[in-house]
Amino acid sequence: MLSQEKIISHRLLGLQHGIHQLVLRGAIAATAQPGQFVHLKVGATTEPLLRRPISIARIDRARGEITLFYRVAGRGTALLAGAKEGETLSVLGPVGKGFALPGEGELLLVAGGIGIFPLFSLLEAVDRSRVKVKVLWGAESREFFEGAGLAVLRELDVAYEVATLDGSLGQKGLVTDLLASNLRREGGGQGMLPSVMPGFGRGDSVLRVAACGPRGMLKAVTELCLRQAVPVEVCLEERMACGVGACLGCVCTVTTAAGPARRRVCTDGPVFDGREVVWDEG
Amino acid sequence: MKVDLTTNLGGLKLKNPVLTASGTFGFGEEYARFYDLSLLGGVTVKGITLQPRIGNPVPRIAETPSGMLNAVGLENPGLEAFLSTCLPRLERLNTAVIVNISGFSLEEYAQLAAALPEDSCIAAIEVNISCPNIKDGGMAFGTDPRSAGKVLAVTRKQTRLPLIAKLSPNVTDIGAIAKAVADNGADIISLINTLLGMRIDIKTGRPVLANTMGGLSGPAVLPVAVRMVYQVYKAVRLPIIGMGGISCWQDAVEFMLAGAAAVSVGTANFVNPLAPLEIIHGLEAYCREKGYHSVQELVGLAHCKEELTNDGKR
């Protein structure tokens, strides 16, 4: 659970969006599952105090390496960005309940911005000879994609569509627009994906959606999926302290037979069934 | 030289003086994955209330310079589920368990104390009169000596288990509160609970926490906590469990010198899950180096000798 991981490589992908790629070697890779995260100590002092949760983007068991991507957003990630190759980091993890791994059918991965990174791990884990996979990814601009691992997606050789707010790459608009057109039914079949991929959505095979991104996006993705009776898993984010399920800092609300209940994003999640999540809280 | 780490706090016997602080340690299981909890002096579990509580909305956490705010709002499964589900699991941890209770009325404190079995792994009850994150009760009881005394008095009648009064630092005269709980049946005093604090997001112009305010913990509060332990040690003769920002053995030594007979590790668990164990080892090594046979020889050494010998009292 607590591991000293060695920094194998650490580089900035693009200045404008401050996204870094960090490869760590240690014990975590042996057991990490897609959708799980690590809780990193970013400095040696009490400032900043808390660890930083970062999702696991790639898992290489043979080399004992995990790859993380993070955007410099505050003091903690700025400090982390200064960590050098060859140094070690105190890493707690792997933490949490990750994505279900479908053994057949079709899988749509829906990402908003840096929400793509936990989906990379799912994309790599899925047996694509048996599961048809497609990625839908939305962000602000072409520059974002160039500095956010679009090359990784190309390297993984998967069908994908992108949307940008400014129309500089792919379709102009939101990733939920892409999802809506992909989910559009053709006839009465369940979860059809008619036009985009040849053979996608044909027959009785089950379509699933896995999504990660801003909360508003995840809510919209869930609503679109519910309308089509498509199962959807969402990867949530919340301010976190302990990362082990003890402090109850990072909860979300879910509906249960007994009424609304809290779940810990760190250990009960971060992946939840989108249908359970209470999206609008008072 | 073997250093005696055993600690006796007015009937609460511990194998060493290092505990975990309520609210930072769940019901123990989360950290049992990191080490054998029987190595600890004991664990203080998440505060329980009579009825289940869903707690506050998120965000519940805000980071601060060398510290953090929390406003969890006493989310817990309630007394009944605690007794049926949590307590049997705690029995298996093979460590002294301190159960923290919070009421919204005197009656609720009494009911909670009465319901906790005296013949279980429960070694003591910590009476929380200091939670800053709930609207009624909680801290309201702990900021007035009279009501603090009343809570202890009604709780005392219901149990023979050692009673720990957990005090709030959000008061002007901590000594007066300490005297009130000491006069009304407390066996031990623990302090400090969190300091009331607040942060505002300058992008949105709104408070960061959904609850607006929350409790400050972590290294930032340490000097306030040391000062209050020092004051309570002067004010009353009850044993003290000191806490507030302890993250290494040096901090623990400082609290003991101020007058704490035991210490609790809280927020440090979030950063370093092994902190309590490292503190136990560090305390032992410090005593050995200084030539103390018992860790209890440290307690209160920071107070000058005249005060201590005056009238045989502190």
Side-chain angles (χ1 to χ4, degrees):
Chain A
M1 284 289 283
L2 258 186
S3 172
Q4 289 293 323
E5 303 262 319
K6 187 176 180 189
I7 301 176
I8 299 303
S9 81
H10 195 184
R11 64 192 182 94
L12 179 65
L13 296 182
L15 260 185
Q16 193 174 354
H17 294 276
I19 294 170
H20 293 251
Q21 184 189 52
L22 174 61
V23 180
L24 299 174
R25 185 178 293 160
I28 307 269
T31 56
Q33 298 296 324
Q36 289 189 306
F37 65 95
V38 291
H39 212 29
L40 281 176
K41 187 145 169 48
V42 295
T45 71
T46 59
E47 187 53 35
L49 181 67
L50 298 173
R51 288 171 177 267
R52 293 294 186 267
I54 299 178
S55 58
I56 299 170
R58 306 187 75 173
I59 303 158
D60 186 338
R61 292 205 210 286
R63 299 170 76 96
E65 291 175 3
I66 54 171
T67 302
L68 316 176
F69 293 88
Y70 65 93
R71 176 158 59 187
V72 173
R75 292 168 305 158
T77 40
L79 199 57
L80 178 59
K84 304 276 191 299
E85 288 177 14
E87 292 177 358
T88 57
L89 291 173
S90 166
V91 184
L92 198 161
V95 187
K97 182 183 87 45
F99 292 104
L101 204 58
E104 55 183 15
E106 296 159 5
L107 180 64
L108 262 183
L109 305 178
V110 184
I114 56 173
I116 191 70
F117 299 129
L119 297 175
F120 278 166
S121 62
L122 178 56
L123 174 58
E124 284 198 289
V126 164
D127 178 357
R128 281 192 275 154
S129 69
R130 303 182 61 196
V131 182
K132 287 200 185 78
V133 183
K134 184 175 180 184
V135 176
L136 309 178
W137 187 6
E140 52 252 60
S141 65
R142 172 188 287 270
E143 277 166 341
F144 176 87
F145 286 101
E146 284 166 357
L150 185 59
V152 177
L153 202 56
R154 290 195 177 118
E155 182 190 316
L156 289 168
D157 189 29
V158 64
Y160 68 88
E161 289 176 38
V162 298
T164 48
L165 289 176
D166 64 2
S168 56
L169 189 70
Q171 182 175 317
K172 187 173 193 299
L174 300 170
V175 71
T176 43
D177 301 332
L178 298 179
L179 178 63
S181 55
N182 274 274
L183 286 178
R184 202 169 295 131
R185 286 177 182 222
E186 219 179 47
Q190 190 188 344
M192 296 278 191
L193 296 175
S195 56
V196 201
M197 271 180 83
F200 219 92
R202 214 180 282 155
D204 297 327
S205 68
V206 178
L207 170 68
R208 296 164 200 275
V209 168
C212 185
R215 193 175 171 89
M217 179 210 118
L218 294 180
K219 181 188 171 197
V221 166
T222 300
E223 283 168 357
L224 284 168
C225 291
L226 283 183
R227 228 172 280 161
Q228 307 284 330
V230 172
V232 54
E233 285 190 314
V234 293
C235 184
L236 299 183
E237 197 176 45
E238 188 51 63
R239 283 166 185 268
M240 205 171 274
C242 72
V244 302
C247 75
L248 308 184
C250 66
V251 296
C252 66
T253 308
V254 297
T255 46
T256 70
R262 305 283 197 212
R263 294 284 183 269
R264 299 164 294 187
V265 171
C266 63
T267 50
D268 298 321
V271 176
F272 291 89
D273 182 337
R275 289 169 302 183
E276 301 182 338
V277 177
V278 177
W279 294 102
D280 300 301
E281 294 186 59
Chain B
M1 188 188 87
K2 182 104 174 93
V3 178
D4 182 9
L5 292 178
T6 57
T7 299
N8 189 350
L9 309 171
L12 172 60
K13 292 185 175 62
L14 305 171
K15 69 173 67 164
N16 66 62
V18 179
L19 304 163
T20 62
S22 179
T24 66
F25 215 68
F27 292 103
E29 285 174 294
E30 290 78 10
Y31 287 100
R33 283 176 289 165
F34 292 94
Y35 60 92
D36 178 357
L37 300 188
S38 72
L39 295 169
L40 295 170
V43 303
T44 312
V45 295
K46 174 71 186 166
I48 59 164
T49 52
L50 207 52
Q51 302 301 327
R53 283 178 59 85
I54 197 164
N56 291 327
V58 291
R60 290 176 169 186
I61 300 286
E63 212 172 24
T64 68
S66 293
M68 62 174 282
L69 294 171
N70 89 82
V72 170
L74 281 177
E75 177 184 336
N76 80 95
L79 174 66
E80 206 173 298
F82 170 78
L83 292 173
S84 62
T85 310
C86 306
L87 192 55
R89 292 184 193 159
L90 286 165
E91 293 283 359
R92 293 200 285 270
L93 297 179
N94 192 26
T95 194
V97 172
I98 298 169
V99 177
N100 179 290
I101 60 170
S102 271
F104 294 88
S105 64
L106 294 175
E107 177 64 15
E108 287 192 6
Y109 279 104
Q111 280 179 264
L112 285 158
L116 296 175
E118 292 172 358
D119 57 347
S120 69
C121 62
I122 301 176
I125 298 174
E126 183 172 63
V127 185
N128 183 2
I129 50 171
S130 46
C131 179
N133 293 328
I134 50 176
K135 284 194 176 62
D136 315 295
M139 196 171 84
F141 286 110
T143 50
D144 170 58
R146 247 167 45 105
S147 56
K150 275 189 199 159
V151 173
L152 267 295
V154 299
T155 315
R156 178 74 288 165
K157 289 200 188 93
Q158 302 299 328
T159 183
R160 282 174 298 169
L161 285 167
L163 281 184
I164 306 167
K166 184 162 184 182
L167 304 191
S168 170
N170 303 302
V171 298
T172 312
D173 184 356
I174 192 77
I177 310 276
K179 282 186 185 124
V181 296
D183 290 345
N184 285 280
D187 301 296
I188 303 160
I189 288 174
S190 64
L191 79 165
I192 60 175
N193 204 319
T194 55
L195 284 150
L196 197 57
M198 178 173 175
R199 294 221 77 178
I200 296 166
D201 182 335
I202 63 165
K203 281 186 212 134
T204 63
R206 302 284 307 146
V208 173
L209 296 172
N211 190 52
T212 307
M213 289 172 235
L216 179 65
S217 65
V221 310
L222 181 132
V224 178
V226 170
R227 180 265 294 179
M228 288 190 147
V229 166
Y230 188 89
Q231 289 177 313
V232 168
Y233 186 82
K234 273 200 196 311
V236 298
R237 306 198 65 183
L238 294 186
I240 297 166
I241 301 171
M243 69 192 86
I246 296 174
S247 52
C248 58
W249 65 264
Q250 291 91 336
D251 297 342
V253 169
E254 195 172 337
F255 272 81
M256 295 189 81
L257 296 173
V263 294
S264 276
V265 181
T267 300
N269 290 303
F270 303 163
V271 184
N272 176 13
L274 302 180
L277 290 191
E278 292 172 7
I279 290 168
I280 295 166
H281 292 142
L283 275 176
E284 188 175 11
Y286 175 81
C287 289
R288 194 180 299 120
E289 192 187 311
K290 290 277 185 182
Y292 297 121
H293 295 279
S294 161
V295 70
Q296 291 303 309
E297 291 173 45
L298 295 176
V299 180
L301 284 182
H303 295 258
C304 60
K305 293 220 165 53
E306 306 88 271
E307 290 173 66
L308 291 174
T309 50
N310 175 20
D311 198 19
K313 294 175 74 175
R314 288 171 195 157

